[in-house]
Amino acid sequence: MDDFIRGEIDAEIIEDDDSSIYLSIGDLMSGLLMFFALLFITALLQLAQKDVPKRVVIGNVVGQMKSNNINVKVNPETGDVSIQESILFAKGSTELKPEGKAFLRRFIPVYSGVIFSKPEFEQEISRVVIEGHTSSDGDDKTNLQLSLLRSSSVYNYIFYDMNFPTKAPLSQKILAAGRGEIESDKKLDNPGDRKVVFRFQFRSDELKKDILKTSL
């Protein structure tokens, strides 16, 4: 009988120990979840702060384009400035039209002026890429070559035929690239896909990638 009672007591002690172990593990898991939640929230706050200079730059680009009556499409999320082919080139041509040159003489000083208007803007923008884009009409290789030659024509005109106050510092940030029909509508020949895009590369986007890597 004593052995039976002793066995019951031992069983209760073991159950209590097991409960304590499970409780400790549960507390540990809750603590870890809380830690990672706080870490994630901190990362999100850091990302939001890093986005502030980017949004201000884009807002200034939009504002300056409007106030100077420069007819371009500015993406409010990325700051991409799209210039339609018809403004700059004849269809299938890589030579800038006279009206295309006149457009660049108006656009570039204003656009570049935004970049170098404040030290924080200049620091935030690590690179400006002039991208040539085509529609899906025609051969892939031909379209890629056409887009690259067009972006090169724009680049060459800016830095060999134009003079503006921020020309020297802009030359240190800018490069030309051809994207061909990569971003075009593959189902139809959309004239809107034939364009030249001035695309910012933001330092804050690079920092965001680093922050996300370290927080995961």
Side-chain angles (χ1 to χ4, degrees):
M1 183 68 175
D2 290 341
D3 291 341
F4 176 76
I5 294 171
R6 192 179 298 110
E8 286 290 321
I9 293 171
D10 290 343
E12 288 177 4
I13 293 171
I14 291 171
E15 287 179 2
D16 288 342
D17 289 343
D18 288 344
S19 298
S20 298
I21 292 170
Y22 292 141
L23 186 61
S24 298
I25 293 173
D27 290 341
L28 178 62
M29 293 301 293
S30 297
L32 286 173
L33 285 173
M34 181 73 73
F35 172 76
F36 284 115
L38 289 172
L39 193 63
F40 182 69
I41 291 169
T42 301
L44 288 179
L45 290 173
Q46 287 179 316
L47 292 179
Q49 291 174 346
K50 296 297 180 186
D51 262 347
V52 171
K54 174 180 173 180
R55 291 197 298 269
V56 175
V57 170
I58 295 171
N60 272 262
V61 171
V62 172
Q64 287 299 314
M65 294 301 113
K66 287 182 178 178
S67 63
N68 286 276
N69 295 316
I70 298 174
N71 185 24
V72 291
K73 181 180 178 181
V74 184
N75 186 311
E77 299 298 323
T78 64
D80 290 354
V81 178
S82 299
I83 307 168
Q84 288 306 304
E85 170 203 58
S86 58
I87 296 174
L88 301 174
F89 302 98
K91 187 174 181 179
S93 173
T94 62
E95 183 178 349
L96 282 165
K97 298 192 297 186
E99 52 264 49
K101 294 177 181 179
F103 174 85
L104 290 174
R105 287 195 297 271
R106 289 184 59 236
F107 166 70
I108 290 298
V110 175
Y111 180 75
S112 182
V114 172
I115 298 171
F116 299 102
S117 61
K118 295 182 180 180
E120 55 267 33
F121 290 3
E122 182 178 354
Q123 183 178 9
E124 171 62 15
I125 298 165
S126 58
R127 182 73 65 187
V128 179
V129 185
I130 306 172
E131 294 183 348
H133 292 259
T134 71
S135 70
S136 57
D137 183 39
D139 175 74
D140 286 0
K141 185 176 179 181
T142 301
N143 284 336
L144 184 59
Q145 184 179 25
L146 175 64
S147 67
L148 178 57
L149 290 174
R150 282 181 167 177
S151 64
S152 296
S153 290
V154 172
Y155 178 94
N156 289 336
Y157 184 74
I158 293 169
F159 294 106
Y160 293 102
D161 296 288
M162 286 179 57
N163 285 302
F164 51 97
T166 53
K167 180 177 178 179
L170 182 63
S171 68
Q172 301 301 309
K173 287 184 178 289
I174 204 164
L175 58 84
R179 298 284 288 169
E181 58 183 79
I182 290 175
E183 297 182 13
S184 68
D185 188 333
K186 299 299 184 292
K187 296 179 180 179
L188 55 88
D189 176 19
N190 185 353
D193 290 333
R194 296 194 288 271
K195 60 194 174 186
V196 171
V197 175
F198 282 74
R199 178 164 289 169
F200 288 137
Q201 290 181 358
F202 291 102
R203 202 171 301 279
S204 58
D205 288 339
E206 298 164 8
L207 291 173
K208 273 197 280 186
K209 293 177 183 177
D210 293 338
I211 290 171
L212 287 172
K213 283 180 183 178
T214 56
S215 64
L216 294 176

